[in-house]
């Protein structure tokens, strides 16, 4: 169950990132009012990336101790 939840979460985060990039208005790149969803999607992706890297490092440390 846990692996399935992680896989679904990963796909959702990646979907948000791609959709956020698609919705990005490059002509008004720094406008938060227009591009708020794109910035939010990038922030969610960045937080999930950090979480995943920490989790992978923790698992690697546990494997090295065995």
């Amino acid at each position: 169950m846990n692996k399935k939840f992680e896989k679904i979460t990963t796909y959702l985060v990646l979907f948000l990132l791609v959709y956020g990039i698609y919705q990005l208005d490059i002509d008004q790149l720094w406008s938060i009012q227009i591009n708020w969803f794109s910035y939010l999607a990038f922030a969610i992706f960045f937080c999930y990336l950090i979480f995943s890297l920490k989790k992978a490092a923790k698992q690697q440390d546990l494997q090295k101790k065995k």
Side-chain angles (χ1 to χ4, degrees):
M1 179 70 180
N2 194 15
K3 292 281 187 185
K4 190 173 184 179
F5 178 73
E6 288 179 19
K7 191 178 279 190
I8 291 170
T9 305
T10 301
Y11 284 127
L12 284 175
V13 168
L14 290 175
F15 176 75
L16 278 175
L17 178 67
V18 170
Y19 189 71
I21 291 170
Y22 179 74
Q23 292 295 320
L24 186 66
D25 185 3
I26 201 74
D27 292 332
Q28 298 176 350
L29 184 62
W30 300 111
S31 175
I32 294 175
Q33 292 175 338
I34 295 172
N35 292 321
W36 67 272
F37 184 80
S38 297
Y39 291 139
L40 179 64
F42 180 71
I44 291 171
F45 171 75
F46 189 70
C47 291
Y48 187 73
L49 179 66
I50 291 171
F51 169 77
S52 296
L53 289 174
K54 284 185 177 183
K55 183 177 178 185
K58 190 176 188 180
Q59 286 178 349
Q60 186 178 14
D61 287 345
L62 289 175
Q63 287 180 353
K64 283 184 179 180
K65 288 181 181 179
K66 287 184 178 181

